[in-house]
Amino acid sequence: MKKFVLWLIKVFKIDIVTEKYITKEKSETINIDCHFIAYSLELLSGLNVLLVSDNYNSVISIYRTFYENFIVFSFIHKHTELIDDFLLHKRIIELKMKIEASELDNSPVDENIRKEYYEILKNQEDGFSDNYGWTAKVLKKEDRKLKQMYEV
């Protein structure tokens, strides 16, 4: 596992912080690094299970998600000003999934969840909740695709 983590650090060009004091900006970058590394490890552990069970279609799907994760990770490292927008967008997706799950279940939606969801959306520009809407400060609406994130 140690070799794998070192490999991730090398591949993703993660800065190892040895400073005694960390600036707010550096701290946010480290937090987002931790998020992406944890998510990558989760995906890779799922890959192992699927490979052992010969479920190759699912392996390809997870590999594509892993590759997307790498592109997003690299994009955020180039544009650290988007960290807050990324995390806010992630929260919007989480809330939206909870609302939709309740509606599919025909169970009442927690009003606090619904209120937080609409409160966040109210304070964002149009299209923020779309795929890659958090990239609006860097990419034009028609360019908000994974390919453009990779090329920027």
Side-chain angles (χ1 to χ4, degrees):
M1 184 57 91
K2 183 178 179 182
K3 285 183 181 181
F4 178 71
V5 170
L6 291 173
W7 174 81
L8 279 176
I9 290 168
K10 183 178 178 184
V11 168
F12 293 130
K13 297 182 176 92
I14 299 169
D15 294 327
I16 303 298
V17 178
T18 56
E19 305 166 26
K20 187 172 183 180
Y21 300 101
I22 300 173
T23 63
K24 183 178 185 298
E25 181 179 300
K26 192 69 169 174
S27 174
E28 289 172 352
T29 304
I30 291 168
N31 286 338
I32 207 75
D33 289 349
C34 292
H35 165 78
F36 279 109
I37 290 172
Y39 186 62
S40 296
L41 290 172
E42 183 181 315
L43 288 172
L44 289 174
S45 68
L47 272 178
N48 287 334
V49 171
L50 293 170
L51 280 171
V52 168
S53 62
D54 296 331
N55 193 342
Y56 298 113
N57 288 334
S58 295
V59 167
I60 291 169
S61 175
I62 288 180
Y63 178 77
R64 289 179 69 195
T65 303
F66 182 76
Y67 185 65
E68 177 182 6
N69 190 47
F70 172 74
I71 292 172
V72 169
F73 182 82
S74 300
F75 185 77
I76 286 179
H77 263 266
K78 290 177 191 170
H79 304 281
T80 55
E81 72 275 13
L82 296 175
I83 291 174
D84 289 337
D85 291 337
F86 172 79
L87 294 174
L88 191 59
H89 188 268
K90 183 177 179 272
R91 182 65 183 153
I92 288 172
I93 299 299
E94 291 169 354
L95 294 168
K96 186 175 183 181
M97 288 175 62
K98 288 178 181 180
I99 291 169
E100 289 177 357
S102 292
E103 290 171 351
L104 284 173
D105 252 357
N106 289 326
S107 60
V109 178
D110 183 345
E111 282 309 310
N112 291 331
I113 291 173
R114 189 182 300 275
K115 182 180 176 183
E116 182 182 355
Y117 175 74
Y118 287 111
E119 192 66 33
I120 292 171
L121 283 181
K122 181 176 77 174
N123 295 322
Q124 301 305 318
E125 63 184 59
D126 192 36
F128 185 82
S129 65
D130 297 344
N131 280 344
Y132 308 121
W134 56 272
T135 65
K137 292 175 183 169
V138 177
L139 299 175
K140 297 178 194 150
K141 187 168 184 152
E142 60 273 4
D143 289 339
R144 291 185 204 156
K145 296 180 178 94
L146 199 59
K147 181 181 179 192
Q148 280 67 29
M149 289 173 66
Y150 178 76
E151 292 173 350
V152 171

